Amino acid sequence: NRKMKIKELINDRNTTIVDVRTVEEFTQGNVSGSINIPLDTVVEKTETLKQMQPLVLCCLSGGRSGRATEYLRSQGCEQVYNGGGWEEVKAQKK
């Protein structure tokens, strides 16, 4: 079950939760322990992100994190998952 896997990943201390919303959106609310890498900077941060795997990406609704997930997978990131909306990720975090 994909949902279960995402929840396990969110709660795994080795997982990096990356919020791809804008800095403004991120400062208004975010998942504790997550890092903010806005979608428009993901390309230049690809090598850094590869070293931080496994990754769970989130944004407002899952659209931007979905695009970032697909991009990172195309660049060889195998352990990258779209967690969807940040509030959904926050709700799953213990």
Side-chain angles (χ1 to χ4, degrees):
N1 185 322
R2 187 184 166 277
K3 273 270 190 257
M4 189 61 204
K5 183 166 175 68
I6 292 282
K7 186 170 184 168
E8 285 171 13
L9 279 163
I10 288 167
N11 290 292
D12 184 328
R13 60 188 179 85
N14 296 318
T15 301
T16 305
I17 299 172
V18 181
D19 192 319
V20 298
R21 295 177 299 153
T22 64
V23 173
E24 293 76 25
E25 287 175 287
F26 185 76
T27 54
Q28 288 169 10
N30 56 68
V31 180
S32 69
S34 65
I35 62 168
N36 183 213
I37 298 182
L39 182 60
D40 60 3
T41 66
V42 167
V43 171
E44 65 202 53
K45 301 257 201 277
T46 301
E47 289 308 313
T48 305
L49 286 162
K50 279 183 181 178
Q51 292 163 20
M52 300 166 94
Q53 295 182 87
L55 304 168
V56 171
L57 276 46
C58 62
C59 60
L60 186 61
S61 64
R64 285 174 282 182
S65 54
R67 291 202 296 278
T69 299
E70 284 176 28
Y71 169 75
L72 289 168
R73 284 195 180 141
S74 79
Q75 298 304 304
C77 274
E78 288 173 15
Q79 292 183 285
V80 57
Y81 307 91
N82 183 3
W86 75 272
E87 289 178 315
E88 196 178 312
V89 172
K90 186 177 184 176
Q92 294 180 68
K93 193 168 168 67
K94 293 186 181 97

